[in-house]
Amino acid sequence: MLPVLLPKLEDMTGVTPDAFNGLIKRGLVKEGVHWFKAPNGRIFADPEAFAQWVKSSYTQAKRNTSTGCKATRAQKQGNSPPPLT
C-alpha cells in the first residue's frame, strides 16, 4: 500500500494526526519506515508499517504484563511520589 497523508491514516486507523505527530516527536515511529516527509514538508505514513508497529508494540506490552511487571512508567523512572502512610 502507498503511504497516505495523516488525515487518511486517521480514517483508516482512528489515530489522529496530532497523536501520530506525538509518536514521531517521541521517536516511537521511525522516519523512512513508518513515516516519510515529502519535499513540500507534508508527512506521509505507511499504513502497513504502522499496523505492524502497533501489533509488535501490543505483543511486547502483553509480554511485560504476563511476566508480572506491574510498575508504571513513573515508577520505573523513579518519579513516583512516596506512598501514602
Side-chain angles (χ1 to χ4, degrees), residues 53-65:
W53 175 83
V54 170
K55 289 176 187 177
S56 68
S57 297
Y58 173 78
T59 303
Q60 183 176 4
K62 197 106 160 111
R63 259 187 268 129
N64 289 343
T65 56

Side-chain angles (χ1 to χ4, degrees), residues 10-66:
E10 180 179 10
D11 292 342
M12 297 169 76
T13 66
V15 175
T16 66
D18 285 343
F20 195 84
N21 283 322
L23 295 172
I24 291 171
K25 287 179 184 168
R26 291 192 310 258
L28 297 174
V29 290
K30 296 183 178 168
E31 185 173 7
V33 177
H34 305 106
W35 65 277
F36 306 87
K37 191 169 195 174
N40 64 0
R42 297 185 82 180
I43 302 293
F44 286 79
D46 183 330
E48 291 176 357
F50 180 68
Q52 187 60 39
W53 175 83
V54 170
K55 289 176 187 177
S56 68
S57 297
Y58 173 78
T59 303
Q60 183 176 4
K62 197 106 160 111
R63 259 187 268 129
N64 289 343
T65 56
S66 67

